[in-house]
Amino acid sequence: MSKCEQCIVRQFSSLKALTKDELLKLSDCKTSHIIKKGEVIFEEGENVNGIYCIKDGVCKLTKLSANGKDHIVKLVTKGELLGQRSMISDEPVNLSAVALEDMQVCFIPKSEVMGFFDKNNQFSMNVMKTICGDLKEADDNMVNLAQKTVKERLAETLLHLHDTFGKNEDNSLKIQLSRDELASMIGTATESCIRLLSDFNKLGLIELNGKKIILKDINKLKKLAD
């Protein structure tokens, strides 16, 4: 793992506001980890006592519902931080983080990060902006669940996966979610999700190749999502 001051991904998170001396301090106290696909980074209700910086890979943030099923709240990728809200509120994490692919992450202890809050106003502001952005996203998702049909939500989610994470050489979505995970993201039963994917396939909006999904008509998907 590279040193913090040499790490490119910090430019995509609140850490970009830290000075060179602060980044050197960060390098001395961080611990680097390889997380394998399917492994848990932290679980809902856990006291994390720090933040995780994602150097590479993607994870899902999930919330356990009353019926015992995990609901995917958000997908998080390299350059983003995990655990900021929990660290500031001094509470256990309210979501679980699970690797969707092999990941490289660095853990930074709370004691070190909170010191930057007192000395670096821009860093504090960046963290607050990120948390505000997460709240806005949560509001938008809540409205979508209440007002959009499952078909519209599926189209929107497929476009989000395409625009945010890109595609493979065969044009399939780079992030390969199981049908269960996709259903969890759009708030429906797995059977309904499978049936809708089949309908999209028949309409020529997408192409299904095993677990892979290829978006064939992005314009029509956009119209459907809106």
Side-chain angles (χ1 to χ4, degrees), residues 57-78:
V58 179
C59 72
K60 60 180 179 179
L61 295 178
T62 65
K63 182 82 177 167
L64 195 64
S65 61
N67 64 5
K69 288 193 75 174
D70 277 327
H71 177 73
I72 296 178
V73 175
K74 187 181 180 183
L75 301 182
V76 186
T77 189
K78 65 180 179 182

mmCIF file of all heavy atoms in Angstrom, residues 57-78:
data_model
loop_
_atom_site.group_PDB
_atom_site.id
_atom_site.type_symbol
_atom_site.label_atom_id
_atom_site.label_comp_id
_atom_site.label_asym_id
_atom_site.label_seq_id
_atom_site.Cartn_x
_atom_site.Cartn_y
_atom_site.Cartn_z
ATOM 1 N N GLY A 57 -11.760 -1.204 -5.190
ATOM 2 C CA GLY A 57 -12.872 -2.124 -5.011
ATOM 3 C C GLY A 57 -14.179 -1.426 -4.658
ATOM 4 O O GLY A 57 -14.229 -0.204 -4.501
ATOM 5 N N VAL A 58 -15.238 -2.225 -4.538
ATOM 6 C CA VAL A 58 -16.579 -1.714 -4.263
ATOM 7 C C VAL A 58 -17.212 -2.533 -3.142
ATOM 8 O O VAL A 58 -17.037 -3.753 -3.084
ATOM 9 C CB VAL A 58 -17.479 -1.817 -5.527
ATOM 10 C CG1 VAL A 58 -18.886 -1.296 -5.237
ATOM 11 C CG2 VAL A 58 -16.864 -1.051 -6.693
ATOM 12 N N CYS A 59 -17.928 -1.851 -2.253
ATOM 13 C CA CYS A 59 -18.672 -2.575 -1.209
ATOM 14 C C CYS A 59 -20.113 -2.100 -1.189
ATOM 15 O O CYS A 59 -20.446 -1.046 -1.736
ATOM 16 C CB CYS A 59 -18.023 -2.401 0.158
ATOM 17 S SG CYS A 59 -18.219 -0.771 0.896
ATOM 18 N N LYS A 60 -20.969 -2.899 -0.574
ATOM 19 C CA LYS A 60 -22.374 -2.505 -0.401
ATOM 20 C C LYS A 60 -22.608 -2.168 1.060
ATOM 21 O O LYS A 60 -22.070 -2.817 1.961
ATOM 22 C CB LYS A 60 -23.313 -3.621 -0.858
ATOM 23 C CG LYS A 60 -23.146 -4.939 -0.113
ATOM 24 C CD LYS A 60 -24.110 -6.003 -0.627
ATOM 25 C CE LYS A 60 -23.901 -7.328 0.120
ATOM 26 N NZ LYS A 60 -24.824 -8.385 -0.338
ATOM 27 N N LEU A 61 -23.387 -1.113 1.296
ATOM 28 C CA LEU A 61 -23.822 -0.756 2.635
ATOM 29 C C LEU A 61 -25.248 -1.253 2.793
ATOM 30 O O LEU A 61 -26.121 -0.916 1.981
ATOM 31 C CB LEU A 61 -23.764 0.761 2.842
ATOM 32 C CG LEU A 61 -22.370 1.397 2.798
ATOM 33 C CD1 LEU A 61 -22.463 2.904 2.970
ATOM 34 C CD2 LEU A 61 -21.466 0.807 3.869
ATOM 35 N N THR A 62 -25.501 -2.077 3.810
ATOM 36 C CA THR A 62 -26.813 -2.698 3.965
ATOM 37 C C THR A 62 -27.415 -2.422 5.338
ATOM 38 O O THR A 62 -26.684 -2.189 6.310
ATOM 39 C CB THR A 62 -26.735 -4.224 3.767
ATOM 40 O OG1 THR A 62 -25.941 -4.805 4.811
ATOM 41 C CG2 THR A 62 -26.114 -4.576 2.420
ATOM 42 N N LYS A 63 -28.744 -2.452 5.378
ATOM 43 C CA LYS A 63 -29.496 -2.266 6.622
ATOM 44 C C LYS A 63 -30.389 -3.479 6.816
ATOM 45 O O LYS A 63 -31.101 -3.890 5.892
ATOM 46 C CB LYS A 63 -30.342 -0.994 6.520
ATOM 47 C CG LYS A 63 -31.145 -0.658 7.767
ATOM 48 C CD LYS A 63 -30.293 0.044 8.778
ATOM 49 C CE LYS A 63 -31.107 0.468 10.007
ATOM 50 N NZ LYS A 63 -30.251 0.875 11.122
ATOM 51 N N LEU A 64 -30.336 -4.054 7.993
ATOM 52 C CA LEU A 64 -31.162 -5.228 8.288
ATOM 53 C C LEU A 64 -32.580 -4.778 8.613
ATOM 54 O O LEU A 64 -32.790 -3.967 9.513
ATOM 55 C CB LEU A 64 -30.565 -6.002 9.467
ATOM 56 C CG LEU A 64 -31.089 -7.426 9.698
ATOM 57 C CD1 LEU A 64 -30.733 -8.327 8.521
ATOM 58 C CD2 LEU A 64 -30.524 -7.993 10.985
ATOM 59 N N SER A 65 -33.564 -5.306 7.857
ATOM 60 C CA SER A 65 -34.962 -4.919 8.078
ATOM 61 C C SER A 65 -35.597 -5.819 9.138
ATOM 62 O O SER A 65 -35.008 -6.816 9.561
ATOM 63 C CB SER A 65 -35.748 -4.998 6.769
ATOM 64 O OG SER A 65 -35.746 -6.321 6.277
ATOM 65 N N ALA A 66 -36.828 -5.469 9.529
ATOM 66 C CA ALA A 66 -37.523 -6.205 10.594
ATOM 67 C C ALA A 66 -37.775 -7.663 10.219
ATOM 68 O O ALA A 66 -37.841 -8.531 11.084
ATOM 69 C CB ALA A 66 -38.844 -5.517 10.913
ATOM 70 N N ASN A 67 -37.903 -7.942 8.896
ATOM 71 C CA ASN A 67 -38.166 -9.323 8.471
ATOM 72 C C ASN A 67 -36.880 -10.146 8.292
ATOM 73 O O ASN A 67 -36.913 -11.272 7.796
ATOM 74 C CB ASN A 67 -38.994 -9.342 7.171
ATOM 75 C CG ASN A 67 -38.254 -8.715 5.994
ATOM 76 O OD1 ASN A 67 -37.087 -8.342 6.111
ATOM 77 N ND2 ASN A 67 -38.924 -8.583 4.868
ATOM 78 N N GLY A 68 -35.750 -9.544 8.690
ATOM 79 C CA GLY A 68 -34.490 -10.288 8.645
ATOM 80 C C GLY A 68 -33.760 -10.250 7.321
ATOM 81 O O GLY A 68 -32.740 -10.924 7.143
ATOM 82 N N LYS A 69 -34.251 -9.416 6.379
ATOM 83 C CA LYS A 69 -33.593 -9.311 5.071
ATOM 84 C C LYS A 69 -32.732 -8.054 5.019
ATOM 85 O O LYS A 69 -33.085 -7.020 5.587
ATOM 86 C CB LYS A 69 -34.638 -9.274 3.944
ATOM 87 C CG LYS A 69 -35.335 -10.614 3.709
ATOM 88 C CD LYS A 69 -36.112 -10.615 2.406
ATOM 89 C CE LYS A 69 -35.187 -10.728 1.208
ATOM 90 N NZ LYS A 69 -35.926 -10.874 -0.053
ATOM 91 N N ASP A 70 -31.608 -8.168 4.324
ATOM 92 C CA ASP A 70 -30.734 -7.008 4.142
ATOM 93 C C ASP A 70 -31.255 -6.131 3.007
ATOM 94 O O ASP A 70 -31.581 -6.636 1.930
ATOM 95 C CB ASP A 70 -29.303 -7.453 3.813
ATOM 96 C CG ASP A 70 -28.513 -7.795 5.059
ATOM 97 O OD1 ASP A 70 -28.759 -7.163 6.093
ATOM 98 O OD2 ASP A 70 -27.666 -8.706 5.001
ATOM 99 N N HIS A 71 -31.302 -4.836 3.245
ATOM 100 C CA HIS A 71 -31.660 -3.881 2.196
ATOM 101 C C HIS A 71 -30.411 -3.088 1.832
ATOM 102 O O HIS A 71 -29.766 -2.511 2.710
ATOM 103 C CB HIS A 71 -32.766 -2.937 2.664
ATOM 104 C CG HIS A 71 -33.119 -1.883 1.661
ATOM 105 N ND1 HIS A 71 -33.819 -2.155 0.502
ATOM 106 C CD2 HIS A 71 -32.833 -0.565 1.614
ATOM 107 C CE1 HIS A 71 -33.959 -1.042 -0.201
ATOM 108 N NE2 HIS A 71 -33.360 -0.062 0.452
ATOM 109 N N ILE A 72 -30.056 -3.074 0.549
ATOM 110 C CA ILE A 72 -28.867 -2.325 0.117
ATOM 111 C C ILE A 72 -29.202 -0.839 0.068
ATOM 112 O O ILE A 72 -30.083 -0.404 -0.675
ATOM 113 C CB ILE A 72 -28.357 -2.814 -1.249
ATOM 114 C CG1 ILE A 72 -27.897 -4.273 -1.155
ATOM 115 C CG2 ILE A 72 -27.205 -1.927 -1.737
ATOM 116 C CD1 ILE A 72 -27.408 -4.865 -2.471
ATOM 117 N N VAL A 73 -28.505 -0.063 0.881
ATOM 118 C CA VAL A 73 -28.727 1.376 0.971
ATOM 119 C C VAL A 73 -27.892 2.113 -0.071
ATOM 120 O O VAL A 73 -28.343 3.082 -0.685
ATOM 121 C CB VAL A 73 -28.379 1.884 2.393
ATOM 122 C CG1 VAL A 73 -28.485 3.395 2.485
ATOM 123 C CG2 VAL A 73 -29.270 1.212 3.420
ATOM 124 N N LYS A 74 -26.673 1.626 -0.291
ATOM 125 C CA LYS A 74 -25.748 2.355 -1.172
ATOM 126 C C LYS A 74 -24.590 1.454 -1.567
ATOM 127 O O LYS A 74 -24.222 0.540 -0.821
ATOM 128 C CB LYS A 74 -25.214 3.592 -0.420
ATOM 129 C CG LYS A 74 -24.372 4.546 -1.263
ATOM 130 C CD LYS A 74 -23.878 5.720 -0.428
ATOM 131 C CE LYS A 74 -23.044 6.662 -1.283
ATOM 132 N NZ LYS A 74 -22.487 7.775 -0.504
ATOM 133 N N LEU A 75 -24.019 1.715 -2.742
ATOM 134 C CA LEU A 75 -22.775 1.075 -3.158
ATOM 135 C C LEU A 75 -21.662 2.118 -3.048
ATOM 136 O O LEU A 75 -21.839 3.271 -3.445
ATOM 137 C CB LEU A 75 -22.868 0.565 -4.592
ATOM 138 C CG LEU A 75 -23.972 -0.459 -4.892
ATOM 139 C CD1 LEU A 75 -23.892 -0.907 -6.344
ATOM 140 C CD2 LEU A 75 -23.892 -1.659 -3.967
ATOM 141 N N VAL A 76 -20.539 1.726 -2.487
ATOM 142 C CA VAL A 76 -19.439 2.664 -2.233
ATOM 143 C C VAL A 76 -18.177 2.166 -2.932
ATOM 144 O O VAL A 76 -17.850 0.974 -2.865
ATOM 145 C CB VAL A 76 -19.181 2.806 -0.715
ATOM 146 C CG1 VAL A 76 -18.152 3.882 -0.447
ATOM 147 C CG2 VAL A 76 -20.463 3.126 0.023
ATOM 148 N N THR A 77 -17.462 3.073 -3.586
ATOM 149 C CA THR A 77 -16.304 2.677 -4.380
ATOM 150 C C THR A 77 -15.044 3.430 -3.960
ATOM 151 O O THR A 77 -15.065 4.219 -3.012
ATOM 152 C CB THR A 77 -16.598 2.889 -5.881
ATOM 153 O OG1 THR A 77 -15.549 2.312 -6.663
ATOM 154 C CG2 THR A 77 -16.718 4.370 -6.216
ATOM 155 N N LYS A 78 -13.955 3.182 -4.671
ATOM 156 C CA LYS A 78 -12.651 3.728 -4.281
ATOM 157 C C LYS A 78 -12.666 5.254 -4.203
ATOM 158 O O LYS A 78 -13.344 5.924 -4.977
ATOM 159 C CB LYS A 78 -11.557 3.253 -5.247
ATOM 160 C CG LYS A 78 -11.680 3.746 -6.672
ATOM 161 C CD LYS A 78 -10.526 3.178 -7.493
ATOM 162 C CE LYS A 78 -10.620 3.622 -8.944
ATOM 163 N NZ LYS A 78 -9.541 3.049 -9.760
#
